[in-house]
Amino acid sequence: MSLNTSIYGLIGEKLGHSHSSYIHKLIFEKVGIKGIYNLFEVPKEKLKESVDTFKIIKCGGLNVTIPYKVEVMKELYEISEKARKIGAVNTLKFSREGISGFNTDYIGFGKMLSKFRVEIKNNICVVLGSGGAARAVLQYLKDNFAKDIYVVTRNPEKTSEIYGEFKVISYDELSNLKGDVIINCTPKGMYPKEGESPVDKEVVAKFSSAVDLIYNPVETLFLKYARESGVKAVNGLYMLVSQAAASEEIWNDISIDEIIVDEIFEVLEEKIKSEGHHHHHH
Ligand code: NAP
């Protein structure tokens, strides 16, 4: 590593099996950036100190994940208008003036929908879960003129307080609903709990498209229900690669061709499928 190799990375509390180092390594190679992307597990009480340290070492750029996407905002000099509306940032850019915050989950979600031709405009959209990822998804659905937007939550009373502008419902109420696009923004079904789904097959079957933000396994039980019901099924892998590319674009003031994103997506999908215990047999 030479003086002009920049350090990039991801900060979060637990980063166990993150694919981000691998994705950014491929981007660096394909775009010709001298960089290294590391995972940094930061305990809650050390968040501010860590961010200050990255400022001192002139960090090339940082991604932020659970549970810091909201909390880190108070350490920032400026926040993009979109990220402020969403209420969460996942990308930090360092400059002499200070740290700027962005939300590329929003961008990645949009690229994924375009790639797999999932229409939002004038459609009834249902979002499962009300956490950080759901925030970006809900803002995207609103900006792109969904007809009705439902938030499904385990605690409607509490969730209504934050998401008053959307139709907040319980999982019971969801069983009577028919719509166009259903999006899983909960961690239910994620490795190693692959036997779980946030909703039953009968629920998924009443939609035209099912989108899962989860990418490990590449086919969750939720998406298996969709496929078996003739519902279009899209996993979160393209979103993951797209948000990484969008962060690199912000950090390096570049534009990354969609072909590069597609290539990395394909390589990563193969890698995840071939990783022994994560493998699914059909
Ligand atoms: P989060 O902030 O922890 O929120 C998850 C939400 O799901 C919670 O607010 C909760 O909503 C609901 N939930 C949590 N545990 C649940 C359970 N056992 N059963 C049912 N609902 C449950 O997480 P997040 O950051 O939003 O991420 C959610 C998922 O999206 C994760 O799997 C993450 O890996 C994935 N993700 C993927 C990408 C990508 O690029 N593909 C990007 C971001 C996130 P209620 O309390 O309202 O029910």
Side-chain angles (χ1 to χ4, degrees):
M1 204 173 100
S2 58
L3 241 186
N4 49 10
T5 300
S6 297
I7 293 177
Y8 299 83
L10 172 64
I11 58 171
E13 196 174 32
K14 287 208 187 78
L15 301 171
H17 35 265
S18 167
H19 296 293
S20 290
S21 294
Y22 184 71
I23 295 171
H24 286 276
K25 185 175 80 101
L26 292 181
I27 297 176
F28 292 154
E29 285 170 9
K30 286 180 189 288
V31 178
I33 295 168
K34 274 193 181 177
I36 179 162
Y37 189 102
N38 287 333
L39 305 181
F40 299 100
E41 288 190 344
V42 172
K44 282 214 174 73
E45 68 281 4
K46 293 278 166 76
L47 179 64
K48 185 185 170 4
E49 223 178 297
S50 308
V51 169
D52 287 342
T53 306
F54 284 110
K55 213 178 340 187
I56 294 168
I57 65 159
K58 298 193 172 62
C59 176
L62 272 190
N63 285 124
V64 182
T65 189
I66 301 172
Y68 302 131
K69 289 186 185 184
V70 178
E71 204 185 327
V72 80
M73 292 171 85
K74 61 176 186 282
E75 312 299 335
L76 306 181
Y77 156 77
E78 62 179 4
I79 296 167
S80 77
E81 196 188 327
K82 196 63 87 185
R84 194 166 334 112
K85 271 193 180 167
I86 295 166
V89 304
N90 77 323
T91 300
L92 307 186
K93 180 171 179 152
F94 295 79
S95 67
R96 205 152 10 121
E97 293 73 38
I99 309 170
S100 314
F102 303 85
N103 191 306
T104 67
D105 285 336
Y106 177 99
I107 299 169
F109 180 70
K111 301 251 183 198
M112 166 178 71
L113 296 185
S114 310
K115 183 82 201 163
F116 296 98
R117 300 185 196 290
V118 176
E119 285 282 341
I120 297 305
K121 195 174 175 190
N122 297 326
N123 276 338
I124 297 172
C125 300
V126 170
V127 172
L128 308 176
S130 66
R135 276 176 186 274
V137 166
L138 287 165
Q139 186 66 41
Y140 185 90
L141 299 178
K142 191 175 139 188
D143 292 347
N144 288 275
F145 311 106
K147 185 160 89 191
D148 291 310
I149 304 173
Y150 291 88
V151 184
V152 186
T153 171
R154 295 168 300 176
N155 190 342
E157 205 174 311
K158 195 177 122 238
T159 304
S160 302
E161 287 169 19
I162 324 162
Y163 293 104
E165 60 181 311
F166 304 109
K167 300 178 196 303
V168 176
I169 60 170
S170 66
Y171 282 89
D172 277 345
E173 289 170 292
L174 172 63
S175 56
N176 303 313
L177 193 74
K178 198 178 168 316
D180 300 297
V181 184
I182 183 165
I183 304 151
N184 178 32
C185 299
T186 80
K188 212 161 180 193
M190 211 161 102
Y191 172 83
K193 295 189 176 171
E194 294 150 303
E196 297 181 357
S197 168
V199 292
D200 293 336
K201 192 171 182 176
E202 295 68 41
V203 171
V204 183
K206 286 189 284 187
F207 291 81
S208 318
S209 302
V211 178
D212 201 332
L213 298 201
I214 296 172
Y215 41 80
N216 190 5
V218 290
E219 187 182 73
T220 56
L221 184 55
F222 174 75
L223 292 183
K224 181 169 180 274
Y225 288 160
R227 177 172 55 78
E228 290 173 350
S229 310
V231 173
K232 182 187 280 192
V234 179
N235 70 29
L237 204 51
Y238 198 86
M239 175 176 171
L240 182 73
V241 178
S242 291
Q243 64 79 24
S247 294
E248 291 287 351
E249 290 182 326
I250 290 170
W251 296 328
N252 294 294
D253 291 312
I254 54 171
S255 163
I256 296 177
D257 203 294
E258 194 186 316
I259 294 170
I260 291 179
V261 175
D262 290 0
E263 282 172 3
I264 296 173
F265 165 73
E266 279 158 26
V267 171
L268 189 62
E269 189 177 41
E270 278 315 307
K271 182 171 184 274
I272 294 176
K273 280 185 184 166
S274 70
E275 276 168 359
H277 53 283
H278 301 205
H279 193 73
H280 255 212
H281 295 279
H282 303 297

